[in-house]
Amino acid sequence: MSKLKDFSIASARMMPVIILADVSGSMAAYGKLAALNRAIAEMIAIFASEQDARAEIHVAVITFGGDGANFHQTLQPASQIQWTDMEAKGPTPMGAAFELATRFLENKTEIPSRSYHPNLILISDGQPTDERGRLDDNWKEPLQQLLNSDRASKALRFAMGIGPDADEETLKAFLIGQHPEIPVFRADETRIQQFFRWVTVTVSSRSRSVNPNSVSPIDFDNLDELLDF
């Protein structure tokens, strides 16, 4: 590796991409989770191939399903990630994912102060439920705490609801306060990759920008004219 490339890597600032992924039992149906696994793996591979970037893209994946929320993928440079597929289980404890994301975002040991504003991506195919599978409103306070946190309030946020049972109220609430307003993306299992293509192009464009903190999302309707992944 040349000294010039060494210098470029050393001087690049972290740009975090944090995915909050629903892995509840219903995600196993109709190939939804399989499509999501493929889309995330492809996104990471494209981020890893970025060469002329001012930011080094790091990716973390928080899954929520079963009895809580956990890191499926810890925050690492995309170029160092060996993706392993997520598995589906249990109910949809979305509030736990918001709580974990808030603690993580505000941890300056994990995400240094000089990092660029993060990208937060929420994916779900249903409504938040408790450990018994009952509908649960306990996601509202954790979400508000997340959105009120310093870093999440500055983040570029995306949300995708998969299938007809995705909770529109929760997904829209996750996007409140952004300028310009980003719509909730609705998808079936065949359109998950389209959503991640949009996210990938937007984040890649941010990483190459003169000012990565001020770049707006790519216009989804014009995506095909910009890049062909």
Short mmCIF file of all heavy atoms in Angstrom, two decimals, residues 13-52:
data_model
loop_
_atom_site.label_atom_id
_atom_site.label_comp_id
_atom_site.label_asym_id
_atom_site.label_seq_id
_atom_site.Cartn_x
_atom_site.Cartn_y
_atom_site.Cartn_z
N ARG A 13 -12.63 10.08 8.42
CA ARG A 13 -13.44 10.08 9.63
C ARG A 13 -14.53 9.02 9.52
O ARG A 13 -15.04 8.74 8.44
CB ARG A 13 -14.07 11.46 9.83
CG ARG A 13 -13.06 12.53 10.17
CD ARG A 13 -13.61 13.93 9.97
NE ARG A 13 -14.79 14.21 10.78
CZ ARG A 13 -15.47 15.36 10.72
NH1 ARG A 13 -15.07 16.33 9.89
NH2 ARG A 13 -16.53 15.55 11.48
N MET A 14 -14.88 8.44 10.65
CA MET A 14 -15.89 7.39 10.67
C MET A 14 -17.25 7.95 10.28
O MET A 14 -17.66 9.00 10.73
CB MET A 14 -15.98 6.76 12.06
CG MET A 14 -17.03 5.67 12.16
SD MET A 14 -17.44 5.19 13.88
CE MET A 14 -15.88 4.50 14.42
N MET A 15 -17.97 7.21 9.42
CA MET A 15 -19.38 7.47 9.17
C MET A 15 -20.15 6.21 9.57
O MET A 15 -20.13 5.22 8.85
CB MET A 15 -19.65 7.82 7.71
CG MET A 15 -21.14 8.06 7.45
SD MET A 15 -21.49 8.51 5.74
CE MET A 15 -20.81 10.17 5.69
N PRO A 16 -20.85 6.23 10.71
CA PRO A 16 -21.55 5.04 11.16
C PRO A 16 -22.85 4.79 10.39
O PRO A 16 -23.61 5.72 10.11
CB PRO A 16 -21.86 5.33 12.63
CG PRO A 16 -21.06 6.55 12.98
CD PRO A 16 -20.88 7.30 11.70
N VAL A 17 -23.10 3.54 10.07
CA VAL A 17 -24.38 3.09 9.53
C VAL A 17 -24.91 2.05 10.50
O VAL A 17 -24.29 0.99 10.67
CB VAL A 17 -24.21 2.47 8.12
CG1 VAL A 17 -25.56 1.91 7.63
CG2 VAL A 17 -23.66 3.49 7.15
N ILE A 18 -26.02 2.35 11.16
CA ILE A 18 -26.57 1.45 12.18
C ILE A 18 -27.94 0.98 11.73
O ILE A 18 -28.86 1.78 11.52
CB ILE A 18 -26.64 2.15 13.54
CG1 ILE A 18 -25.23 2.60 13.96
CG2 ILE A 18 -27.24 1.21 14.59
CD1 ILE A 18 -25.20 3.48 15.18
N ILE A 19 -28.08 -0.32 11.56
CA ILE A 19 -29.32 -0.93 11.10
C ILE A 19 -30.05 -1.53 12.29
O ILE A 19 -29.45 -2.28 13.08
CB ILE A 19 -29.03 -2.02 10.05
CG1 ILE A 19 -28.29 -1.43 8.85
CG2 ILE A 19 -30.33 -2.70 9.61
CD1 ILE A 19 -27.74 -2.48 7.90
N LEU A 20 -31.33 -1.20 12.44
CA LEU A 20 -32.19 -1.82 13.45
C LEU A 20 -33.10 -2.78 12.71
O LEU A 20 -34.04 -2.36 12.02
CB LEU A 20 -33.01 -0.76 14.19
CG LEU A 20 -32.23 0.44 14.78
CD1 LEU A 20 -33.19 1.40 15.48
CD2 LEU A 20 -31.15 -0.02 15.72
N ALA A 21 -32.82 -4.06 12.82
CA ALA A 21 -33.49 -5.06 11.99
C ALA A 21 -34.43 -5.94 12.80
O ALA A 21 -34.02 -6.58 13.77
CB ALA A 21 -32.44 -5.93 11.28
N ASP A 22 -35.66 -5.99 12.37
CA ASP A 22 -36.68 -6.87 12.95
C ASP A 22 -36.36 -8.31 12.54
O ASP A 22 -36.32 -8.63 11.35
CB ASP A 22 -38.05 -6.44 12.40
CG ASP A 22 -39.21 -7.24 12.97
OD1 ASP A 22 -38.99 -8.29 13.60
OD2 ASP A 22 -40.36 -6.82 12.74
N VAL A 23 -36.11 -9.17 13.54
CA VAL A 23 -35.89 -10.59 13.25
C VAL A 23 -36.92 -11.43 14.01
O VAL A 23 -36.64 -12.56 14.42
CB VAL A 23 -34.44 -11.04 13.58
CG1 VAL A 23 -33.44 -10.36 12.67
CG2 VAL A 23 -34.10 -10.78 15.05
N SER A 24 -38.12 -10.88 14.22
CA SER A 24 -39.19 -11.63 14.86
C SER A 24 -39.59 -12.81 13.99
O SER A 24 -39.23 -12.89 12.81
CB SER A 24 -40.39 -10.73 15.13
OG SER A 24 -40.86 -10.16 13.92
N GLY A 25 -40.35 -13.73 14.57
CA GLY A 25 -40.67 -14.97 13.87
C GLY A 25 -41.34 -14.78 12.53
O GLY A 25 -41.10 -15.55 11.59
N SER A 26 -42.15 -13.73 12.39
CA SER A 26 -42.86 -13.51 11.13
C SER A 26 -41.93 -13.15 9.98
O SER A 26 -42.31 -13.28 8.81
CB SER A 26 -43.90 -12.40 11.30
OG SER A 26 -43.28 -11.20 11.72
N MET A 27 -40.71 -12.72 10.29
CA MET A 27 -39.77 -12.37 9.23
C MET A 27 -39.26 -13.61 8.47
O MET A 27 -38.68 -13.48 7.39
CB MET A 27 -38.58 -11.60 9.80
CG MET A 27 -38.85 -10.15 10.11
SD MET A 27 -39.10 -9.14 8.63
CE MET A 27 -37.44 -9.13 7.92
N ALA A 28 -39.50 -14.79 9.03
CA ALA A 28 -39.06 -16.02 8.35
C ALA A 28 -39.98 -16.37 7.19
O ALA A 28 -39.60 -17.13 6.30
CB ALA A 28 -39.00 -17.17 9.34
N ALA A 29 -41.20 -15.81 7.18
CA ALA A 29 -42.19 -16.16 6.16
C ALA A 29 -41.90 -15.50 4.82
O ALA A 29 -41.37 -14.38 4.77
CB ALA A 29 -43.58 -15.77 6.64
N TYR A 30 -42.23 -16.18 3.75
CA TYR A 30 -42.20 -15.64 2.38
C TYR A 30 -40.81 -15.12 1.97
O TYR A 30 -40.71 -14.24 1.12
CB TYR A 30 -43.23 -14.52 2.22
CG TYR A 30 -44.62 -14.93 2.62
CD1 TYR A 30 -45.20 -14.41 3.78
CD2 TYR A 30 -45.34 -15.86 1.88
CE1 TYR A 30 -46.46 -14.80 4.18
CE2 TYR A 30 -46.61 -16.25 2.26
CZ TYR A 30 -47.17 -15.72 3.41
OH TYR A 30 -48.43 -16.11 3.80
N GLY A 31 -39.76 -15.60 2.58
CA GLY A 31 -38.41 -15.22 2.17
C GLY A 31 -38.00 -13.82 2.58
O GLY A 31 -37.01 -13.30 2.06
N LYS A 32 -38.72 -13.20 3.53
CA LYS A 32 -38.42 -11.82 3.89
C LYS A 32 -37.03 -11.68 4.51
O LYS A 32 -36.24 -10.81 4.12
CB LYS A 32 -39.48 -11.28 4.86
CG LYS A 32 -40.82 -11.01 4.22
CD LYS A 32 -41.83 -10.47 5.21
CE LYS A 32 -42.37 -11.54 6.12
NZ LYS A 32 -43.51 -11.07 6.93
N LEU A 33 -36.72 -12.53 5.50
CA LEU A 33 -35.42 -12.40 6.16
C LEU A 33 -34.28 -12.81 5.23
O LEU A 33 -33.20 -12.21 5.27
CB LEU A 33 -35.39 -13.24 7.44
CG LEU A 33 -34.18 -12.98 8.34
CD1 LEU A 33 -34.12 -11.52 8.77
CD2 LEU A 33 -34.22 -13.89 9.57
N ALA A 34 -34.51 -13.78 4.39
CA ALA A 34 -33.48 -14.18 3.43
C ALA A 34 -33.14 -13.02 2.49
O ALA A 34 -31.97 -12.75 2.19
CB ALA A 34 -33.94 -15.40 2.63
N ALA A 35 -34.19 -12.32 2.03
CA ALA A 35 -33.96 -11.16 1.15
C ALA A 35 -33.24 -10.04 1.89
O ALA A 35 -32.37 -9.37 1.34
CB ALA A 35 -35.29 -10.66 0.60
N LEU A 36 -33.59 -9.84 3.17
CA LEU A 36 -32.94 -8.81 3.96
C LEU A 36 -31.47 -9.14 4.19
O LEU A 36 -30.60 -8.27 4.07
CB LEU A 36 -33.66 -8.66 5.30
CG LEU A 36 -33.11 -7.60 6.26
CD1 LEU A 36 -33.10 -6.22 5.60
CD2 LEU A 36 -33.92 -7.57 7.55
N ASN A 37 -31.17 -10.40 4.48
CA ASN A 37 -29.77 -10.81 4.64
C ASN A 37 -28.96 -10.54 3.37
O ASN A 37 -27.85 -10.02 3.43
CB ASN A 37 -29.70 -12.30 5.00
CG ASN A 37 -29.90 -12.56 6.48
OD1 ASN A 37 -29.31 -11.90 7.33
ND2 ASN A 37 -30.73 -13.55 6.80
N ARG A 38 -29.53 -10.88 2.23
CA ARG A 38 -28.81 -10.64 0.96
C ARG A 38 -28.58 -9.16 0.72
O ARG A 38 -27.49 -8.74 0.30
CB ARG A 38 -29.61 -11.23 -0.22
CG ARG A 38 -29.61 -12.74 -0.28
CD ARG A 38 -30.11 -13.22 -1.64
NE ARG A 38 -31.45 -12.76 -1.95
CZ ARG A 38 -32.56 -13.41 -1.60
NH1 ARG A 38 -32.49 -14.54 -0.91
NH2 ARG A 38 -33.75 -12.93 -1.94
N ALA A 39 -29.60 -8.35 1.00
CA ALA A 39 -29.50 -6.91 0.75
C ALA A 39 -28.45 -6.27 1.64
O ALA A 39 -27.67 -5.42 1.18
CB ALA A 39 -30.87 -6.25 0.96
N ILE A 40 -28.41 -6.64 2.92
CA ILE A 40 -27.41 -6.07 3.82
C ILE A 40 -26.00 -6.51 3.41
O ILE A 40 -25.07 -5.70 3.41
CB ILE A 40 -27.70 -6.48 5.28
CG1 ILE A 40 -28.99 -5.82 5.76
CG2 ILE A 40 -26.53 -6.09 6.19
CD1 ILE A 40 -29.41 -6.24 7.16
N ALA A 41 -25.84 -7.78 3.05
CA ALA A 41 -24.53 -8.26 2.62
C ALA A 41 -24.04 -7.51 1.38
O ALA A 41 -22.86 -7.14 1.28
CB ALA A 41 -24.58 -9.76 2.35
N GLU A 42 -24.95 -7.25 0.42
CA GLU A 42 -24.57 -6.52 -0.78
C GLU A 42 -24.21 -5.07 -0.46
O GLU A 42 -23.26 -4.51 -1.01
CB GLU A 42 -25.71 -6.57 -1.80
CG GLU A 42 -25.92 -7.95 -2.40
CD GLU A 42 -27.18 -8.02 -3.26
OE1 GLU A 42 -27.83 -6.97 -3.46
OE2 GLU A 42 -27.50 -9.13 -3.74
N MET A 43 -24.97 -4.45 0.46
CA MET A 43 -24.67 -3.08 0.85
C MET A 43 -23.29 -2.98 1.48
O MET A 43 -22.50 -2.09 1.15
CB MET A 43 -25.73 -2.59 1.83
CG MET A 43 -25.52 -1.16 2.30
SD MET A 43 -26.69 -0.64 3.60
CE MET A 43 -26.04 -1.59 4.98
N ILE A 44 -22.97 -3.90 2.38
CA ILE A 44 -21.67 -3.90 3.04
C ILE A 44 -20.55 -4.06 2.01
O ILE A 44 -19.51 -3.38 2.09
CB ILE A 44 -21.61 -5.00 4.11
CG1 ILE A 44 -22.53 -4.64 5.28
CG2 ILE A 44 -20.17 -5.20 4.60
CD1 ILE A 44 -22.71 -5.77 6.28
N ALA A 45 -20.75 -4.94 1.04
CA ALA A 45 -19.72 -5.16 0.00
C ALA A 45 -19.47 -3.90 -0.81
O ALA A 45 -18.32 -3.57 -1.13
CB ALA A 45 -20.15 -6.31 -0.91
N ILE A 46 -20.53 -3.15 -1.12
CA ILE A 46 -20.36 -1.90 -1.87
C ILE A 46 -19.65 -0.86 -1.02
O ILE A 46 -18.74 -0.18 -1.49
CB ILE A 46 -21.73 -1.38 -2.36
CG1 ILE A 46 -22.31 -2.33 -3.41
CG2 ILE A 46 -21.60 0.03 -2.94
CD1 ILE A 46 -23.76 -2.08 -3.76
N PHE A 47 -20.03 -0.74 0.25
CA PHE A 47 -19.33 0.19 1.14
C PHE A 47 -17.85 -0.16 1.24
O PHE A 47 -16.99 0.71 1.28
CB PHE A 47 -19.96 0.16 2.53
CG PHE A 47 -21.32 0.79 2.63
CD1 PHE A 47 -22.16 0.48 3.68
CD2 PHE A 47 -21.76 1.69 1.67
CE1 PHE A 47 -23.42 1.05 3.79
CE2 PHE A 47 -23.02 2.27 1.76
CZ PHE A 47 -23.85 1.95 2.83
N ALA A 48 -17.55 -1.46 1.31
CA ALA A 48 -16.16 -1.90 1.44
C ALA A 48 -15.33 -1.53 0.21
O ALA A 48 -14.11 -1.38 0.31
CB ALA A 48 -16.12 -3.40 1.67
N SER A 49 -16.00 -1.38 -0.95
CA SER A 49 -15.27 -1.08 -2.19
C SER A 49 -15.04 0.40 -2.40
O SER A 49 -14.35 0.79 -3.35
CB SER A 49 -16.04 -1.65 -3.38
OG SER A 49 -17.26 -0.94 -3.59
N GLU A 50 -15.60 1.25 -1.52
CA GLU A 50 -15.42 2.69 -1.67
C GLU A 50 -13.94 3.04 -1.51
O GLU A 50 -13.31 2.69 -0.53
CB GLU A 50 -16.25 3.45 -0.62
CG GLU A 50 -17.74 3.44 -0.88
CD GLU A 50 -18.13 4.29 -2.08
OE1 GLU A 50 -17.35 5.15 -2.49
OE2 GLU A 50 -19.23 4.07 -2.60
N GLN A 51 -13.39 3.75 -2.50
CA GLN A 51 -11.98 4.11 -2.48
C GLN A 51 -11.77 5.60 -2.26
O GLN A 51 -10.97 6.02 -1.43
CB GLN A 51 -11.31 3.66 -3.79
CG GLN A 51 -11.34 2.16 -4.02
CD GLN A 51 -10.48 1.39 -3.04
OE1 GLN A 51 -9.48 1.91 -2.57
NE2 GLN A 51 -10.88 0.18 -2.71
N ASP A 52 -12.46 6.42 -3.05
CA ASP A 52 -12.25 7.88 -3.01
C ASP A 52 -13.25 8.52 -2.07
O ASP A 52 -14.16 9.24 -2.49
CB ASP A 52 -12.38 8.46 -4.42
CG ASP A 52 -11.36 7.85 -5.37
OD1 ASP A 52 -10.22 7.65 -4.93
OD2 ASP A 52 -11.71 7.57 -6.52
#
